[in-house]
Each structure stands twice: as structure tokens, then as C-alpha cells.
Amino acid sequence: MAGTGLFAEILDGDVYKYYADGEWKKSSSAKTVAIINPTTRKTQYKVQACTQEEVNKVMESAKAAQKSWAKTPLWKRAELLHKAAAILKEHKAPIAECLVKEIAKPAKDAVTEVVRSGDLVSYTAEEGVRILGEGKFLVSDSFPGNERTKYCLTSKVPLGVILAIPPFNYPVNLAVSKIAPALIAGNSLVLKPPTQGAVSALHMVHCFHLAGFPKGLISCVTGKGSEIGDFLTMHPGVNCISFTGGDTGIAISKKAGMVPLQMELGGKDACIVLEDADLDLVAANIIKGGFSYSGQRCTAVKVVLVMESVADVLVDKVKAKIAKLTVGPPEDDCDITPVVSESSANFIEGLVKDAKEKGATFCQEYKRDGNLIWPLLLDNVRPDMRIAWEEPFGPVLPVVRINSIEEGIHHCNASNFGLQGCVFTKDVNKAILISDAMETGTVQINSAPARGPDHFPFQGLKDSGIGSQGVTNSINMMTKIKSTVINLPTPSYTMG
């Protein structure tokens, strides 16, 4: 059970503590933040509302801890990460329970997220030892006009204090995807979890605590974004920000100053379907891509752009599969569970109403009960409808019928987002040409968009983000190049 047994020390009464200086603490504010269960719409958990002064102390500790951590051998850093990964996977049940109750993630998917997170931590440890164990050796006479009088040795060194801000939909996996690269690279890490998902993240952080990382190296502060959000992102002690979420990231990027940014800010992932596509494969991927976790994924299929000649057949196939989706509470492992909040449900409903007013074809009756929205396919969506462009983050999927490949590419590229997209065709030449033309960070061919496997590069163009994620890219992004140049009194050449 959450907050019991091994995790008992992170709970004080009915309020979860925050983590700093290697200890679980109560905030001096004596205030708490309530976490609402999306299914019951009642308070499920409470977390500390940390103060700005507590953030300052966390930053001071993180800076001090990082200096000694940077001197810790790579193999020792990796050893501790492997230990944390093992503890995380061993205690997956209570963390998964939190995911079910905080963000209404289906029970089976919740367990998968925790196990995947442990695997990600271990993989990062291994990859970090390889990447950071190598440097470069350069000689000066490769550049015109120089003799071989200089030897340049380069290595990767840590940035300092990394601020990690994961989103509600993967509060464990998208936290460790920032924590593990930061730590293996010799940085310290301050985590600000999302409100919905904070308790899952606190349980995960306790696994790192139990692994024996040095005090102050990892911190986790909870609280109201209005009180500590800007204070954290603009803090002079922060040397890098890794953020996953919505358009809040754009505001952060404008305020952050001269620190490296790694940002993934959502998408309107298009699925382009050509006449020769395997429509059974397409339908299966539209269901998986558009409706898993109720569409609350940055890489969900957000708009289907299908050639008119095959649209009727495809829509019928998707409708048949939607009819088989189970709808209900996450504890029952239903396919469609409540969206994360009432405000999210209201936003989705606004998009649906707009589409109805403008003449979209409803393939199912629109149905909502609290935060639970039944899966809905909207056919004959036109570009003047909000759902054609805005990201619903829910189980509602628009179908736009197109008459040419160029029309599909134009719709995809007209979006202010550019995270991922996919194209379904049996013609590999067309697939490559369309992929090259799509202004997105990744294009999947004959499969729905997806972030994983976690070592693949993951990035967005335009308003979808800055920089690239994936294990290798994250490690490199959280380091900088350090050069040491040896100057020789006379030119030196190898034998010959």
C-alpha cells in the first residue's frame, strides 16, 4: 500500500513530506496541496506546500552535493543507479497504486510505467559509463597553417544543478528520464513533480533515497506553481531545465535566462493514410495511438488525414473497434478511464461542442459522466473546427478527409506543433518522401506515434519543444565540453 511499510517515513499523518538533504521533511508553511482523484473527484492525497525559502535551501544543498558527486567515479554512480532501479521495480505495486488513484492510469499500464522506469534507469547507467568514459584527442596540424605543437584533450563535464519538471501523464517515467541522465553525468537534481502525480513521484524518489545517494544530491519539492513555479525556473542556482508538459514551457523558456533547456511541449500528431495502406493495420494503430490512456499522451494520434477514396472503409473499421473499448474506473483496467481533471474534461467538451455546431459527423453519441468521457470519433472534420488544430488530450479523435498527399502534408505542417506524425502506405518511396516533407521531430512509418523505446531520440519542432531527449541525447545535453590543450615547445610527429 502507498505510504506504508517501506514508504511509511514519507508520510506524516495524511500529508506526504517533501525530500531535501537526504531527509523527508514537513514544510514550515504548514500548508498543503490537495490531489484530487480523477475518478471519485474527491481529495485522495495531500502534499507539502513548500516555501521559497525552502527552495533556496534545497538549491544550496544541491550545489554543495554536486561538487563532491562530480568527483565520484563513474562506476560508482552507475552502481547506485542500478541499485535504485532494482528497488523501484521491486516496489512497483505501491507506486502503481498511486498512479491509478492520482491520474486514473489503468492498473496494468501503471505497473508497466514503473517497470519501464526501472529499466530506463539501468540502461542510462550503462550508457553513461560508455559515453562519459570516452573523450577526444585532437592535434593542431590538421588545420591549415599549424604545426603539430598542440594536443587538445576534450571530455564531458557536468553542468551543475538540473531542475526537472515532468508532466502528470507519466510522472514516474518522465521523471527518471531526467533524473538518471543528470546523475550519471555528475549533476545534482531538483525535482518539481506535477501536482497530479506528485505522490507517485515521491514514492519513486524514496527508492533513490534507499539506494544510498549522497545527501542533498536529489531533492523533491512539492507546492503550488503560483508560489514556487517561477521561483524555481528563474532561480540563479539552476544550471539546466528539463521540462515536459504544455505551453507553460513556452513561458519558462522566456524567463529562464542563459541556461540550457530541454523541453517537450505537446503535439497534434497527424496520421496520414494513403489509398494503398493496410486499413486493418491503420485501424488498430488509430485505436492504440488515439485512445490508449484516454488520449492523454503527447504522442497520441490527434488527427487522422485519410484519402477520401478509403475514408468510409477506414472509419467503419475504427468505429467497430471503438465499440469494443471498455469504459470505466482505472482499478478495473478499463481502456478508457477518467481524464485527469474537471477542467480538462470541460476543455474537451468545448472542442466537441464546436465541432458539432460546425457540422462534424459524430460516429458515436457524445457521452460524459464527471471526468469520464466515452471514446468519440468525429468524421468530416473541416479546418475551421478547433478540434482540427487544438490538442484535446482526451479520447476524442477527428478525421479529416483529403484528396491528395500534398493536402495531408499541408495540414500537418500548418500546425504550430511538430512533435511526431505517422504515415501508412505500402510504398516505401512515398513513405520516405512524405516523412521528409513532414515538419515533425519524428515520423513513424506504418505505426502510431510513440516516444519509446526510451533510448530513441525524441524531439519536437516549432512549439513542440527545444532540444532532444532519449538516453544518449539527455546525457549529452546535461554535460558540457571541457578542453585541455598541451602546448609543445617544438613540433612533434609520430615515427616516420
Side-chain angles (χ1 to χ4, degrees):
M1 292 284 289
T4 62
L6 195 71
F7 297 99
E9 68 176 291
I10 77 174
L11 187 62
D12 177 59
D14 65 344
V15 183
Y16 282 88
K17 302 174 188 175
Y18 78 100
Y19 186 66
D21 289 320
E23 297 176 7
W24 291 97
K25 300 182 176 184
K26 292 189 288 184
S27 172
S28 60
S29 73
K31 296 178 183 177
T32 62
V33 178
I35 296 171
I36 308 300
N37 182 319
T39 306
T40 65
R41 292 189 289 165
K42 295 177 181 177
T43 297
Q44 182 70 49
Y45 303 120
K46 294 176 187 175
V47 295
Q48 305 292 326
C50 293
T51 66
Q52 293 184 357
E53 183 54 38
E54 284 161 343
V55 169
N56 280 333
K57 289 178 181 176
V58 159
M59 291 297 175
E60 288 173 16
S61 299
K63 185 175 181 180
Q66 189 273 325
K67 297 297 182 186
S68 56
W69 179 246
K71 298 173 185 175
T72 303
L74 265 173
W75 66 265
K76 183 64 176 177
R77 296 181 211 164
E79 189 177 77
L80 287 172
L81 283 169
H82 282 303
K83 191 174 178 182
I87 296 169
L88 188 63
K89 291 166 78 171
E90 182 184 351
H91 299 284
K92 58 184 180 287
I95 303 174
E97 177 195 321
C98 295
L99 291 169
V100 170
K101 292 180 178 178
E102 283 189 286
I103 62 169
K105 181 159 283 192
K108 191 188 300 181
D109 293 344
V111 172
T112 299
E113 177 174 346
V114 182
V115 174
R116 172 186 179 183
S117 299
D119 291 339
L120 173 53
V121 173
S122 288
Y123 190 101
T124 304
E126 292 294 327
E127 187 74 351
V129 168
R130 288 190 288 269
I131 293 173
L132 301 167
E134 295 181 354
K136 266 190 176 180
F137 174 64
L138 302 171
V139 291
S140 55
D141 65 318
S142 59
F143 195 88
N146 285 272
E147 296 287 345
R148 190 170 297 187
T149 56
K150 295 175 183 287
Y151 289 164
C152 179
L153 308 174
T154 71
S155 60
K156 293 183 173 75
V157 297
L159 294 177
V161 179
I162 310 295
L163 172 62
I165 308 176
F168 80 83
N169 54 350
Y170 290 91
V172 176
N173 184 255
L174 283 173
V176 301
S177 73
K178 306 172 190 306
I179 295 170
L183 296 180
I184 193 66
N187 299 289
S188 58
L189 190 289
V190 176
L191 179 69
K192 169 60 178 76
T195 299
Q196 302 285 141
V199 175
S200 307
L202 290 168
H203 280 74
M204 174 271 296
V205 167
H206 193 53
C207 296
F208 282 81
H209 167 74
L210 294 170
F213 282 89
K215 291 183 177 182
L217 189 68
I218 305 167
S219 306
C220 185
V221 291
T222 54
K224 297 176 181 176
S226 58
E227 293 180 12
I228 63 170
D230 282 353
F231 192 74
L232 272 165
T233 56
M234 298 171 69
H235 200 285
V238 171
N239 302 114
C240 170
I241 300 174
S242 179
F243 173 92
T244 304
D247 53 13
T248 302
I250 295 174
I252 291 173
S253 69
K254 292 176 179 176
K255 299 173 184 175
M258 287 184 62
V259 299
L261 300 176
Q262 183 186 51
M263 297 204 158
E264 189 267 282
L265 311 178
K268 184 69 177 175
D269 298 6
C271 173
I272 298 178
V273 185
L274 305 192
E275 291 105 330
D276 68 337
D278 178 338
L279 297 183
D280 288 319
L281 177 68
V282 177
N285 275 274
I286 285 174
I287 295 296
K288 179 181 75 172
F291 296 101
S292 62
Y293 188 40
S294 303
Q296 296 177 110
R297 296 164 43 250
C298 294
T299 55
V301 172
K302 306 277 175 53
V303 59
V304 178
L305 304 167
V306 56
M307 296 295 282
E308 180 70 60
S309 60
V310 295
D312 287 344
V313 177
L314 178 62
V315 167
D316 284 344
K317 287 180 181 292
V318 175
K319 281 167 62 176
K321 288 183 178 294
I322 286 176
K324 296 177 182 178
L325 294 175
T326 56
V327 181
E331 290 84 355
D332 294 347
D333 242 342
C334 292
D335 299 311
I336 304 296
T337 56
V339 296
V340 72
S341 66
E342 186 174 353
S343 61
S344 291
N346 291 341
F347 175 76
I348 295 162
E349 186 165 296
L351 296 179
V352 171
K353 286 181 177 178
D354 176 78
K356 188 169 188 175
E357 289 167 5
K358 292 173 181 173
T361 302
F362 279 55
C363 297
Q364 297 81 22
E365 178 189 359
Y366 172 66
K367 189 176 177 184
R368 173 184 173 186
D369 180 10
N371 295 343
L372 185 61
I373 294 176
W374 271 249
L376 177 62
L377 188 70
L378 297 173
D379 195 6
N380 296 301
V381 168
R382 299 190 315 271
D384 64 326
M385 300 177 189
R386 288 173 56 199
I387 192 73
W389 305 106
E390 297 182 40
E391 185 181 21
F393 236 63
V396 179
L397 183 60
V399 176
V400 177
R401 296 175 178 233
I402 58 175
N403 293 299
S404 68
I405 292 172
E406 290 73 21
E407 188 181 345
I409 293 169
H410 174 76
H411 186 102
C412 171
N413 293 350
S415 173
N416 61 314
F417 291 112
L419 187 59
Q420 289 207 6
C422 59
V423 55
F424 285 86
T425 176
K426 294 172 185 171
D427 187 330
V428 68
N429 295 324
K430 282 183 181 177
I432 294 297
L433 290 171
I434 294 169
S435 172
D436 286 349
M438 291 173 74
E439 295 171 359
T440 61
T442 302
V443 177
Q444 303 274 351
I445 295 173
N446 292 326
S447 183
R451 182 166 53 88
D454 286 315
H455 66 302
F456 279 19
F458 181 57
Q459 57 282 316
L461 308 181
K462 298 183 281 189
D463 285 355
S464 285
I466 301 171
S468 181
Q469 299 178 54
V471 173
T472 303
N473 288 344
S474 292
I475 293 171
N476 285 331
M477 185 264 170
M478 294 177 182
T479 61
K480 54 191 171 188
I481 300 296
K482 174 76 178 285
S483 298
T484 301
V485 180
I486 301 169
N487 291 275
L488 303 174
T490 57
S492 176
Y493 293 92
T494 51
M495 293 183 297

